[in-house]
Amino acid sequence: MRTPSIDLHVHSNFSDGKLTPAELAAFAARRNVVALAVTDHDTMAGWEEKEEACRAHGVECVVGVELSCELDGREAHILSLFADPRSPCVERINELSGSRFSRMEKMLERLERLGIRIGMDDLPVAADGVYGRPHLARALVEKGIVKNVSEAFGRYLYDGGPVHIDKTRLTAAEGIAIAKNLGGVAVLAHPGVSDLISRLDEFIAMGLDGLEVYYPKHGGEMIARLLAFCRDRNLLVSGGSDFHSPDDGPGIGATRTPVDVLEPIRRLASERKK
Ligand code: AMP
Ligand code: FE
Ligand code: FE
Ligand code: ZN
């Protein structure tokens, strides 16, 4: 049996992940992941199903969301952990997810201009209509136009690529405010793989609560550096696999995030809800 760990960042088919909440919870339980946050992109939809799935597998469910934000045009992802799905702020999040549908229509038009016909019906079903580029990538693979998802991104979907259209994003300041107004803890996702690592103090000035220190693409040196930074700036430490699909990347619990990082996050979130 693996040492117990937690995973505070995975995706389900409520956004661009492949697995259902039930499949995720089963995977987590198999890996001895004792707390799981299914943080879909720009939606809190499915939170009841996620809670139910976790309960059925004896895994603690941390309700959360990953908000698409930007700082000076650079993508920044803010997680809200222990978010309250009944908060009025969910309305603002729904605007983001709603705009992803029209964005997808525009990306399909771009493909058509390149002579590639893919319709909305050809996309894998997004449980809540929260479409992302991975859906399109999978349809391109399915149609035999590219060999794999990575080639779909490499040829068509990469940032600034021929088919890519910017999604609606919050400013980083707004994302942090919403993450906290949801009653949650605001964590900057994957800080070591974004080009925002030199700007962490700006996020702190905006009220950021913590950093996703444990992340599959963070090497030992990066983790040590981020842990020291969190200690120095009094930030909370979080960790997650950013799992999307069993076909790519390491699985749930890959970061082996220690169980004891959860308690301070939980404490702050419950103080915030008072
Ligand atoms: P979107 O939110 O629609 O802009 O799509 C971004 C998502 O695409 C990310 O959350 C990743 O899941 C995925 N992604 C981005 N770049 C790549 C890549 N090069 N290969 C595979 N997936 C990617
Ligand atoms: Fe994603
Ligand atoms: Fe992300
Ligand atoms: Zn993610």
Side-chain angles (χ1 to χ4, degrees):
M1 191 70 153
R2 283 187 180 216
T3 309
S5 70
I6 62 172
D7 193 329
L8 301 181
H9 181 173
V10 307
H11 295 276
S12 78
N13 63 338
F14 278 90
S15 65
D16 60 7
K18 258 197 180 169
L19 302 188
T20 62
E23 290 166 332
L24 292 171
F27 193 162
R30 274 201 307 280
R31 291 268 177 105
N32 206 14
V33 168
V34 298
L36 181 70
V38 184
T39 51
D40 278 307
H41 295 285
D42 303 326
T43 184
M44 304 265 308
W47 66 272
E48 284 158 305
E49 191 175 324
K50 293 168 189 177
E51 279 194 340
E52 183 50 43
C54 285
R55 194 177 308 123
H57 287 91
V59 174
E60 177 177 356
C61 178
V62 177
V63 174
V65 60
E66 182 173 19
L67 300 170
S68 304
C69 308
E70 52 116 9
L71 183 68
D72 297 339
R74 294 180 196 181
E75 188 113 358
H77 290 176
I78 303 288
L79 299 166
S80 178
L81 299 174
F82 289 106
D84 176 3
R86 295 185 182 84
S87 158
C89 291
V90 172
E91 278 300 310
R92 181 74 179 110
I93 301 176
N94 292 343
E95 287 171 26
L96 294 183
S97 44
S99 76
R100 278 175 170 268
F101 190 87
S102 46
R103 170 197 189 222
M104 183 57 83
E105 290 177 321
K106 290 191 196 115
M107 291 200 286
L108 294 177
E109 280 165 26
R110 289 242 173 132
L111 265 181
E112 180 145 14
R113 267 184 257 145
L114 296 174
I116 301 166
R117 264 182 175 243
I118 288 181
M120 266 312 185
D121 295 344
D122 299 319
L123 301 177
V125 179
D128 189 44
V130 183
Y131 286 103
R133 282 178 279 169
H135 293 100
L136 192 45
R138 287 175 206 144
L140 285 165
V141 175
E142 201 63 29
K143 291 245 164 183
I145 291 157
V146 292
K147 283 193 300 292
N148 50 43
V149 164
S150 160
E151 189 187 338
F153 272 90
R155 278 172 65 179
Y156 301 108
L157 302 175
Y158 60 91
D159 286 355
V163 176
H164 172 239
I165 290 187
D166 277 328
K167 56 187 171 265
T168 307
R169 296 178 295 195
L170 304 169
T171 63
E174 194 184 3
I176 291 169
I178 290 179
K180 294 166 79 169
N181 286 336
L182 285 165
V185 169
V187 169
L188 180 63
H190 36 75
V193 293
S194 58
D195 41 11
L196 298 165
I197 189 93
S198 61
R199 308 192 58 176
L200 296 181
D201 281 314
E202 291 172 62
F203 285 91
I204 296 172
M206 294 172 200
L208 188 75
D209 296 314
L211 293 182
E212 187 170 58
V213 171
Y214 300 98
Y215 191 74
K217 290 180 185 155
H218 291 172
E221 225 166 276
M222 177 60 74
I223 291 174
R225 179 177 161 193
L226 292 172
L227 281 175
F229 186 84
C230 286
R231 209 173 306 125
D232 187 57
R233 303 293 204 283
N234 208 13
L235 288 172
L236 293 177
V237 171
S238 185
S241 62
D242 207 356
F243 174 81
H244 282 76
S245 154
D247 307 335
D248 41 54
I252 292 180
T255 56
R256 315 244 172 164
T257 301
V259 170
D260 60 7
V261 310
L262 187 60
E263 208 43 50
I265 298 175
R266 189 206 312 281
R267 206 177 310 127
L268 179 59
S270 61
E271 275 164 25
R272 198 156 274 162
K273 286 187 194 72
K274 276 180 195 152

